[in-house]
């Protein structure tokens, strides 16, 4: 019994350690405004001299602007991560505005470092994410104005505007630098490209199909 308890405690301790590391580290000071000119390589970005920070380091203007959705997918993302708003450095949070043309999609992708919670400001979105191996279950729902939906960290997810009007959503993400991996681009559009032999075997299709897909990305 005591031995089982000990195993349970070890397991719990292990889960706590790894849950902590699944998100951006906690700040050790009030702020650490990113210094884009620093040549120091650290996890995150080096701090600007705190005596030289200004209100504008914590500020971004532009999320009222409609994104240009004239592209084959019919969507546009305006990120507000540490790259656009240096005051986000070390704070473990960021946001995006996503615009969708009628029937436009935000193609399947993952954020390797963040959970994303979105709210629909205008329009109707079909959203979904896929659970991980071995289940691969699709969790999907239609969202209307004011609805909120969460995409758990790391899972492949997508959105489609299922209305005849343009749609807008705002997303919040649990990392200053969530990253984005679009499945199609990563697999078929890498640089240099993954060999067609590998992809043909991986997807169990003819090399011609792979080459067609590679040409799209
Ligand atoms: C980075 O360097 C450029 C060029 O020297 C300078 O104009 C800019 O103000 C610097 N940025 C910061 C945040 O120190
Ligand atoms: C939107 O993007 C398309 C394609 O890149 C471009 O041709 C068009 O001029 C852009 N429209 C605006 C209003 O910027
Ligand atoms: C979109 O427009 C088409 C054609 O006008 C119409 O048949 C359809 O019902 C509309 N769909 C929605 C969701 O409004």
């Amino acid at each position: 019994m005591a031995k089982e308890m000990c195993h349970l405690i070890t397991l719990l301790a292990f889960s706590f350690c790894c849950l902590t590391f699944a998100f951006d580290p906690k700040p050790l000071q009030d702020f650490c405004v990113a210094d884009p000119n620093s040549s120091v390589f650290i996890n995150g970005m080096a701090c600007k001299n705190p005596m030289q920070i200004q209100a504008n380091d914590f500020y971004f203007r532009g999320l009222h602007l409609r994104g240009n959705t004239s592209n084959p997918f019919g969507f546009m993302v305006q990120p507000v991560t540490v790259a656009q708003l240096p005051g986000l450095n070390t704070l473990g949070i960021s946001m995006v505005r996503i615009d969708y043309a009628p029937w436009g999609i935000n193609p399947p992708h993952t954020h390797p470092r963040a959970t994303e919670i979105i709210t629909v400001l205008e329009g109707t979105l079909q959203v979904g994410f896929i659970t991980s191996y071995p289940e691969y279950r699709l969790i999907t729902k239609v969202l209307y104005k004011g609805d909120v939906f969460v995409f758990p960290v790391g899972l492949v997810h997508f959105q489609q505007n299922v209305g005849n009007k343009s749609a807008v959503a705002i997303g919040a993400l649990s990392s200053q630098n969530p990253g984005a991996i679009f499945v199609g681009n990563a697999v078929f559009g890498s640089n240099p490209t993954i060999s067609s032999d590998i992809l043909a075997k991986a997807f169990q299709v003819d090399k011609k199909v792979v080459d067609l897909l590679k040409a799209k990305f």
Side-chain angles (χ1 to χ4, degrees), residues 61-67 78 97 99:
R61 180 176 169 74
L63 279 202
H64 61 302
L65 298 173
R66 198 168 280 284
Q78 171 60 61
R97 172 187 170 129
D99 284 276

Side-chain angles (χ1 to χ4, degrees), residues 103 162-164:
W103 305 98
V162 290
N164 289 335

Side-chain angles (χ1 to χ4, degrees), residues 42-177:
I42 56 165
N43 188 24
M45 294 177 78
C47 309
K48 199 172 148 178
N49 180 344
M51 299 311 289
Q52 286 167 7
I53 64 103
Q54 295 163 359
N56 277 349
D57 290 322
F58 301 91
Y59 173 80
F60 173 89
R61 180 176 169 74
L63 279 202
H64 61 302
L65 298 173
R66 198 168 280 284
N68 182 350
T69 58
S70 299
N71 55 63
F73 301 107
F75 87 118
M76 183 54 71
V77 175
Q78 171 60 61
V80 187
T81 69
V82 70
Q84 291 78 29
L85 203 167
L88 286 178
N89 193 37
T90 75
L91 298 184
I93 195 167
S94 60
M95 64 192 300
V96 290
R97 172 187 170 129
I98 315 170
D99 284 276
Y100 310 83
W103 305 98
I105 62 159
N106 184 356
H109 64 282
T110 93
H111 302 293
R113 291 175 288 277
T115 288
E116 176 175 17
I117 181 167
I118 66 161
T119 182
V120 180
L121 299 186
E122 294 295 339
T124 308
L125 296 180
Q126 172 103 43
V127 302
F129 66 82
I130 297 107
T131 67
S132 60
Y133 170 88
E135 199 181 32
Y136 296 127
R137 183 153 54 106
L138 173 64
I139 309 289
T140 184
K141 191 163 175 65
V142 175
L143 305 183
Y144 302 93
K145 185 172 179 166
D147 289 357
V148 175
F149 197 82
V150 65
F151 304 110
V153 60
L155 299 188
V156 172
H157 60 280
F158 61 85
Q159 300 108 35
Q160 178 178 36
N161 178 0
V162 290
N164 289 335
K165 295 183 306 178
S166 52
V168 185
I170 294 283
L173 297 113
S174 62
S175 170
Q176 66 175 40
N177 180 25

Side-chain angles (χ1 to χ4, degrees), residues 174-195:
S174 62
S175 170
Q176 66 175 40
N177 180 25
I181 301 170
F182 283 87
V183 176
N185 300 67
V187 175
F188 295 104
S190 69
N191 181 20
T193 181
I194 302 175
S195 105

